[in-house]
Amino acid sequence: MSDLQKFSLSLSKKIEDAKDIAIISHVSPDGDNLGSLEGMYGYLESTGKDFTYIGNDSVPADFAFLPSTKHRIDIDTLQGKVFDLVITLDSSDIHRFGKAGEAIVQSAKCTANIDHHLSNTLYGDLNYVVPTATSTGEVLFTVLESLDAPFTVNMATGLYTAISTDTGSFQYDSVNGNTHRIIAKLYDYGCDHNIVVQSVYQSRSREKLALMTRVLSRIEFLADGKVAMAACTLEDLKKSGAPSEDTEGIVEQIRNIEGVEMAIFLKEKEDEVKLSFRSKSYLNCTEFAGAFGGGGHIRASGASASMTLSEVEEKIKKLLEEKMELIRS
C-alpha cells in the first residue's frame, strides 16, 4: 500500500469518526491555501459531515470569488474550542496560523497536515507532504482522487486556482507533465478558467497599481545587476490606499526584469519585516531566506525578521557580498 493510500484511508476514517471537524487557513492566505481549502470544503460537504471553516486573516480581493470564502468563521469566536479533527493545507509549520490558530491546531485531538513545502515540520498526527509537487493544490488533488471524491465545479476551480497561482501561471521549473495532466482533469470536472483569469490576473485595482508604481520606482540593482531589491513601507500603503495583501505579486514583477536572476521584496510591518525571494534559473532562494530563519522552495522562499527595514537591507547587502561568487556563476 502506498503512502498516499495509507494517508487517505486514515483521513477518511478520522473524518468518519469525528464530530467536530475544522479546516483552517494560514495567516496572509494566498491562492494555493485558499484554492486548496475550496477543494477540501467541497469534499467535506460531500460527506455530509458538519464542519467549520476557520478564517484567521482577511481574504485578498483576488480570491473572494471562491465560494467557500463566504463561509469562513472568524477565529476570535472560536477561542477555547477543541476540535476532534483539524485539517491544515499549505502550512509548513504551526506558526503559519498565528497565535490563535496555533492554539486551535495544537489543542485538536487529531491534525491532518497536507502540504508541499520541503520545510514542513510534520506537525500533524497525519502527514502527507510531497515536496516535489508544484503546489498543495496538486497534492490535495491526488488525495481527493484516492478518496474517490465527487469533484464539483467549485472544487475543480479551487484546485485550478491553487496550482495556477503557486506555479506563477505555470512558469516555474517545478511544472511537469503530471501537472498538466491534473489540470486537464480539472477542466474535465468543469473548472471555471475564466473566473480565475479575470479575478486573479486581470482585475488589478487602481490602489494596487499606485502601490506597485511607488515600490517599483525604487528598485535597487545589486550584485552586478543580477539581484534586484525593492521595499514596501508602511507609508507606501498609507499613501496608495492599498490593503496590505496588495503587495502580492510585486516580487514576481521585480524578478521578471531582464538580466535579473533573483528578486528580493521587503514588506515593512509594525514590528517586523517580511522578506520574499524569487529566482529564475540557478540561485537557491532557500539559502538566502535561511539567513533570516526562513525557507520554502528553491525558486521561491520567504522569511520574517524582527528588525527595522534599514537593518534588513544592510544585512541583505552583506549577504550578497559574501555570495558574489555564487551569484556570478
Side-chain angles (χ1 to χ4, degrees):
M1 184 180 294
S2 68
D3 290 342
L4 172 60
Q5 291 171 321
K6 290 177 184 176
F7 175 82
S8 299
L9 284 172
S10 297
L11 178 61
S12 179
K13 186 68 166 60
K14 290 294 183 182
I15 291 173
E16 182 181 347
D17 293 344
K19 293 182 179 178
D20 290 311
I21 301 171
I23 56 177
I24 183 170
S25 67
H26 59 59
V27 295
S28 301
D30 58 6
D32 194 15
N33 184 219
L34 294 170
S36 296
L37 284 161
E38 183 73 44
M40 182 56 72
Y41 187 97
Y43 174 69
L44 289 174
E45 274 194 321
S46 75
T47 68
K49 301 285 293 192
D50 290 331
F51 64 97
T52 301
Y53 182 171
I54 303 172
N56 54 2
D57 208 342
S58 59
V59 174
D62 293 355
F63 303 110
F65 71 92
L66 294 168
S68 66
T69 61
K70 310 295 188 299
H71 302 287
R72 289 158 59 94
I73 303 298
D74 192 287
I75 197 166
D76 291 338
T77 67
L78 299 169
Q79 291 185 10
K81 173 74 173 177
V82 176
F83 291 93
D84 294 325
L85 173 65
V86 172
I87 302 171
T88 70
L89 296 147
D90 194 46
S91 303
S92 58
D93 61 68
I94 58 173
H95 305 303
R96 289 291 282 127
F97 304 107
K99 290 184 178 179
E102 185 176 332
I104 285 179
V105 173
Q106 286 186 320
S107 66
K109 295 177 183 177
C110 179
T111 299
N113 164 31
I114 302 171
D115 191 27
H116 75 122
H117 292 97
L118 181 63
S119 57
N120 193 287
T121 60
L122 304 179
Y123 56 86
D125 299 290
L126 303 177
N127 298 285
Y128 190 62
V129 179
V130 185
T132 56
T134 64
S135 56
T136 298
E138 188 174 305
V139 177
L140 180 60
F141 178 84
T142 63
V143 171
L144 293 176
E145 270 205 329
S146 181
L147 290 168
D148 293 323
F151 282 87
T152 64
V153 169
N154 288 345
M155 291 168 67
T157 302
L159 293 178
Y160 181 91
T161 301
I163 298 170
S164 174
T165 55
D166 231 40
T167 58
S169 195
F170 309 101
Q171 295 181 69
Y172 297 164
D173 57 12
S174 58
V175 174
N176 55 36
N178 187 56
T179 308
H180 289 292
R181 281 186 284 273
I182 289 173
I183 292 298
K185 290 181 180 180
L186 293 176
Y187 273 104
D188 291 342
Y189 290 132
C191 81
D192 190 340
H193 165 85
N194 288 327
I195 196 171
V196 178
V197 170
Q198 291 173 19
S199 300
V200 179
Y201 302 111
Q202 298 176 352
S203 296
R204 183 176 296 161
S205 70
R206 295 182 182 183
E207 291 79 10
K208 182 167 184 173
L209 180 60
L211 177 65
M212 292 180 70
T213 300
R214 290 178 65 90
V215 173
L216 296 178
S217 69
R218 300 195 303 268
I219 291 176
E220 188 173 1
F221 293 94
L222 306 164
D224 298 333
K226 295 286 188 180
V227 176
M229 179 171 69
C232 174
T233 66
L234 293 172
E235 182 72 5
D236 288 330
L237 290 170
K238 182 179 179 181
K239 290 286 188 180
S240 65
S244 179
E245 58 264 24
D246 272 357
T247 56
E248 285 292 321
I250 293 180
V251 67
E252 285 81 13
Q253 294 295 317
I254 302 169
R255 180 205 56 204
N256 292 347
I257 298 170
E258 183 181 5
V260 170
E261 164 60 22
M262 185 171 70
I264 304 173
F265 175 63
L266 310 179
K267 179 178 178 180
E268 183 182 36
K269 303 191 82 171
E270 291 292 346
D271 55 355
E272 65 179 1
V273 175
K274 296 283 188 182
L275 302 91
S276 298
F277 300 85
R278 298 289 186 276
S279 66
K280 286 179 180 173
S281 60
Y282 65 89
L283 286 181
N284 185 341
C285 290
T286 62
E287 292 186 20
F288 295 85
F292 294 88
H297 306 288
I298 292 174
R299 300 285 172 256
S301 292
S304 298
S306 298
M307 305 163 67
T308 66
L309 185 58
S310 60
E311 287 172 340
V312 171
E313 290 173 331
E314 183 179 349
K315 183 173 179 177
I316 285 173
K317 290 175 182 178
K318 288 182 179 178
L319 181 63
L320 293 177
E321 288 177 5
E322 294 170 4
K323 295 183 177 289
M324 272 303 294
E325 186 175 341
L326 174 65
I327 294 170
R328 285 175 175 149
S329 62

